[in-house]
Structures are given as structure tokens and as C-alpha cells.
Amino acid sequence: MKLIIQIPCYNEADTLEIALNDLPKELDGIDEIEYLIINDGSSDDTERIALEWGVHYVVHFKRNLGLAKGFLAGLDLALRHGADIIVNTDADNQYCGADIEKLIRPILDREADIVIGERPIDEIEHFSYIKKKLQRFGSKVVRIASRTDIPDAPSGFRAYSRKAAMRMNVHNEYTYTLETIVQAGRNKMAITSVPIHTNPNLRESRLMGSIYDYVKKSMLTILRAVLMYKPMQSFVLLGMAALLGGGAIGVRFVYYYLQGQGGGHVQSLILASMLIVIGVQTFMLGLQADIISANRKLLEDIQYRVKKLEFGLLDPDGNLLEPPQKNEKQG
């Protein structure tokens, strides 16, 4: 059983070595542990520090491409090198390396394919009151959208089985944390969470700038993910709202018309007609989006099968049976 721990990095020279030193060197149930960093266009000595420390793999971006692209690139490289489990953690040493054993246990026990570390949000001293409330609110929205019970959706401390990593897709450039939970929940993947600890803050978060910007990007990410994975239900709700509004206004016009006062309420008739037309068009958009969603699912299944051929054959539980055939040297 091989574990690869990946760390996305962007100018992390001041904290990376601290985070690396905190990682486990051996774990019960794991035969081999390797380390991977994603150098997301760093302009400092992040990559040099990582190589001198002894990381096994480096994904090198010449410019900053964002957390989501770095996350996927790390998964891809880890799969290429035969990882059975992939753990993602942060370079600022926010998460305790000792909790990795707890994080991977549900995967080793075949109880889950994705495990999210649940931080003690209310006990984190450097989180402001507003940030704590936003974290709780955002996680609640994700639980509703994804139909999961993950209490800490923004947590970047998570573990993936080989099978789950092959199925991961991220379409936004902001962060992978929210979209992947919605994707896993809507695709009925086995996902759970475990309580973890956090270390003292070494630097401010780079993902969360202003509160307004964080809320806006997070809500857009969740909305886009829901529309992508369950478009028909989303458009039906929007269409029903328009139809019900148009119908109510139309009934109001009919009432006044029967009272002989229809001439003064022509505006209501126009508005009712517009809303009904909008509702019907929204239903049609929902049908089109549902067809596109079905095609996307077929493409995702094809992508998964291609990855199985490229990265190695799996048994029904997602364990590596046979390594992929290599036609050229891989870096």
C-alpha cells in the first residue's frame, strides 16, 4: 500500500520545511510513503527547499495557475507513480501531520473513498468571529448542495483513494475544496469526515482576501457545481417560480377583468405573460442542460476508463493490480 502526500505551494519558503518535518515517515497499514509538492509559480526558494529536504516529486508551473489546477496536477502525478492513497495538506503547517493516520484509516478499512479533515472551527484562535460564521454557513450550504454530511467543507486536509482520485474533476480556478464535495455527493461516492487538530497560525490565508470576495467566489463555485451536476432540478425550480408568479398575476388580472376593471390592469397581463414565457423557456433550458449533463457523465466515465489504462489496472475496490505500460520515461 503506497501513500503519496502532496502539498500545493506558492511562495512557501518560510513555512514549507516546518510542514514537511511534521509529516509522518511511517504509518500502520502503509508500506511506502512518498512526498510531492506542487510549485505553483513560486518566485522564492520553495522548490529548492523541497528538493533539499528530500521530496520525491515536484510539479513545476512556470506561472501561478491557482489552487484547483495545482491540486489536479498533483493527483495526476501521484497516480502515475502508483499511489494507492493520496493525502492533500497545506504548506503553512495548518494541519497536524500526526492526523494523517486518522485521515487515511476509513480508506484502509474500505469504509470511504474520500475523507475530509474536520477542523475545530470554534476553537481556532486566529479565525475571526465573522470567518467562523462564514465557514459554518458555507459548509451548511455545501451539505445541502451535495447531500452529504461533511461539517467542514473548506478544509484542504483530505485523503483520496486511487479510485476516487481518478474520478476527480475541477472546473473552477478558485479552489477545489467545495466543488469536489458537491461532485462526490452528487455522484454518490463514499465520502466521510474525521475530526482533526490544527497548528498555530504561521501566516495569513492567501485564499481568503476580503470577506466579500470570499463569499462571492464560494457561492458562485457552489452554484456552478450544482447546476453542472443536477441541472434539471435547478432549472425546474427556477421555471416553477416564474410560472407560479405569472400564474398568480394572471389570476389577479382575470379577477379584475370579470369585475369589469380589466382595462386598468393591462400591465398585469403583460407581466404575467412574460413570466409564463420565461418559465417555459427555463424548462426548455433545463431539458437541454440535462442532456448536456448526461453527455458529461459519459465523458467522465470514458476519462475514468482511460485513466485506468494509463495509470494501472484496479480491482473492484480500487486497488492497484497491474502497473501501466510505460512507453517513455516519466519525470
Side-chain angles (χ1 to χ4, degrees), residues 10 40-41 60-70 173-174:
Y10 179 59
D40 193 12
H60 180 84
F61 292 156
K62 295 180 180 179
R63 57 172 295 183
N64 182 254
L65 298 182
L67 189 59
K69 290 187 180 298
E173 297 183 356
Y174 177 57

Side-chain angles (χ1 to χ4, degrees), residues 74-270:
L75 291 186
D76 184 82
L77 187 61
L79 289 169
R80 288 182 186 278
H81 288 278
D84 296 293
I85 302 176
I86 303 169
V87 166
N88 189 90
T89 188
D90 284 357
D92 61 357
N93 201 42
Q94 175 184 176
Y95 307 109
C96 293
D99 285 331
I100 289 179
E101 183 172 10
K102 186 188 302 184
L103 196 69
I104 65 174
R105 183 53 51 188
I107 297 177
L108 291 173
D109 293 340
R110 300 184 180 183
E111 296 174 354
D113 286 314
I114 302 174
V115 185
I116 313 292
E118 178 193 353
R119 296 167 294 178
I121 298 295
D122 294 332
E123 300 174 12
I124 301 178
E125 295 181 357
H126 62 271
F127 277 16
S128 66
Y129 175 81
I130 295 178
K131 186 173 182 178
K132 291 177 181 179
K133 293 301 179 183
L134 286 176
Q135 294 273 7
R136 293 296 188 194
F137 175 74
S139 295
K140 184 176 181 179
V141 173
V142 171
R143 285 198 296 274
I144 295 172
S146 63
R147 296 178 182 175
T148 65
D149 58 356
I150 302 301
D152 186 10
S155 172
F157 193 50
R158 46 185 67 191
Y160 293 86
S161 70
R162 185 175 181 83
K163 180 180 178 180
M166 285 186 178
R167 290 193 174 276
M168 284 296 102
N169 287 290
V170 182
H171 302 281
N172 79 90
E173 297 183 356
Y174 177 57
T175 179
Y176 64 90
T177 56
L178 307 180
E179 183 178 342
T180 50
I181 293 177
V182 175
Q183 177 189 0
R186 291 294 180 172
N187 288 339
K188 301 186 184 302
M189 300 175 69
I191 181 172
T192 189
S193 66
V194 295
I196 60 169
H197 303 88
T198 57
N199 294 315
N201 188 36
L202 296 179
R203 63 161 174 79
E204 293 300 319
S205 172
R206 292 172 180 163
L207 186 63
M208 182 174 177
S210 68
I211 292 177
Y212 170 76
D213 186 59
Y214 174 77
V215 172
K216 180 185 69 174
K217 289 182 177 180
S218 296
M219 291 300 105
L220 287 175
T221 298
I222 296 169
L223 177 61
R224 182 180 179 184
V226 172
L227 289 175
M228 183 178 297
Y229 293 101
K230 290 294 180 180
M232 190 62 185
Q233 292 89 328
S234 303
F235 281 102
V236 164
L237 289 175
L238 293 173
M240 284 297 296
L243 284 174
L244 290 174
I249 295 173
V251 170
R252 178 178 178 273
F253 171 79
V254 170
Y255 171 78
Y256 282 112
Y257 179 80
L258 294 176
Q259 296 294 323
Q261 304 175 25
H265 296 276
V266 176
Q267 299 91 334
S268 297
L269 180 61
I270 295 173

